Amino acid sequence: MDGQTPEGRDGAPRGEPDEGSREETDGDGGTRSGPDEQGSPRRGPDGQGNSVAELDGGPVRGPKELPVPDGLLPRGPAADVAPSRARDDVLLRAADQLTAVAEILVSVSARTAVAVDSRLSPPLLRALTLVGTSPGLSLAALADRARISRSRASRVCDTLETAGLLARAPLAADRRTVGLSLTRHGRCVLDRVRERRGDWIRDALLRMPDADLNGLLAALRSLGPSFAHGHRALSPPPERSS
């Protein structure tokens, strides 16, 4: 022989694994590798480094997943909802501010009308303005544009006619239809109301910085058509029973 001992060249018995890689037989006849002396984790049949606690009854985890770059991560529902909520908040704030401005303008219009003629309430001024814009307007058309019932429109016209601001006359195209028009006094009153209201608005705009004024003009250019297309018809309120 070559002089080798039964233990082999390195002194370890042949055919026997060292303690660091000793295999144990599991319950179903397979083998699993145990920990070495340094406490390295056992390796299962798939060769993955699962811990002893995981194989001895704990949850068995797969291989550690590689990190995914942020740009490849799927967008969650919160990322899609956030811009929508932010836009909704902006719309609500803009609507609140426009509503407040509209209330101020209505108040200014009412005060200037009363300053010119104490009989001009907001409904009377509205009817006077509509007739002044569209001479020959019928009673039905006035009720439709003012969003009031025909009976109330008739009472408003009666008041304006008594005050000498409105006149009724049959239309030349259809003698059976009565058209509404302003008297000379009615036109003068409406012009004075518009002039005073315009003075008040111009005085308010003069107090604004130029940058804000330019932004307001740009917004109004799109706001007008937006209001026109977004307007919803409102049915006239029901008549109150006397």
Side-chain angles (χ1 to χ4, degrees):
M1 303 297 287
D2 55 359
Q4 293 181 348
T5 64
E7 290 79 11
R9 293 179 181 272
D10 54 359
R14 290 186 177 180
E16 293 185 6
D18 57 17
E19 293 182 358
S21 60
R22 180 177 301 169
E23 294 183 347
E24 299 178 2
T25 304
D26 56 16
D28 55 359
T31 60
R32 62 182 181 182
S33 58
D36 55 16
E37 292 179 353
Q38 286 75 22
S40 60
R42 297 174 179 175
R43 298 189 177 272
D46 57 356
Q48 302 298 329
N50 298 311
S51 66
V52 175
E54 291 172 338
L55 290 176
D56 290 345
V60 179
R61 298 185 179 88
K64 184 178 180 182
E65 296 181 355
L66 296 176
V68 181
D70 294 340
L72 299 180
L73 290 174
R75 296 182 62 189
D80 297 333
V81 173
S84 177
R85 289 181 178 176
R87 178 174 174 80
D88 290 342
D89 292 341
V90 172
L91 290 175
L92 288 175
R93 290 197 301 269
D96 290 341
Q97 293 180 7
L98 284 174
T99 300
V101 171
E103 291 176 353
I104 294 174
L105 292 176
V106 169
S107 177
V108 169
S109 181
R111 287 183 301 190
T112 53
V114 172
V116 173
D117 191 323
S118 59
R119 297 168 294 185
L120 282 181
S121 63
L124 295 180
L125 177 61
R126 174 63 173 163
L128 196 69
T129 302
L130 290 173
V131 174
T133 304
S134 303
L137 199 65
S138 65
L139 183 64
L142 174 63
D144 181 66
R145 296 187 185 185
R147 307 297 177 188
I148 58 178
S149 63
R150 291 191 182 186
S151 58
R152 184 171 183 182
S154 180
R155 292 195 298 270
V156 167
C157 291
D158 290 341
T159 303
L160 291 175
E161 189 175 16
T162 301
L165 304 174
L166 186 71
R168 307 187 201 203
L171 295 177
D174 185 359
R175 305 294 297 179
R176 294 172 299 180
T177 304
V178 176
L180 307 172
S181 60
L182 299 184
T183 62
R184 182 176 180 179
H185 177 56
R187 288 192 298 270
C188 291
V189 168
L190 185 59
D191 290 342
R192 287 163 57 192
V193 170
R194 287 172 172 170
E195 182 179 359
R196 288 201 176 189
R197 185 173 55 201
D199 290 342
W200 186 94
I201 294 176
R202 281 190 295 271
D203 184 66
L205 294 177
L206 285 173
R207 298 189 182 96
M208 294 179 59
D210 291 342
D212 293 344
L213 185 59
N214 292 333
L216 176 63
L217 292 176
L220 290 176
R221 280 194 291 268
S222 59
L223 183 62
S226 179
F227 277 161
H229 292 292
H231 176 72
R232 297 179 180 178
L234 301 176
S235 58
E239 291 292 325
R240 295 181 180 178
S241 57
S242 56

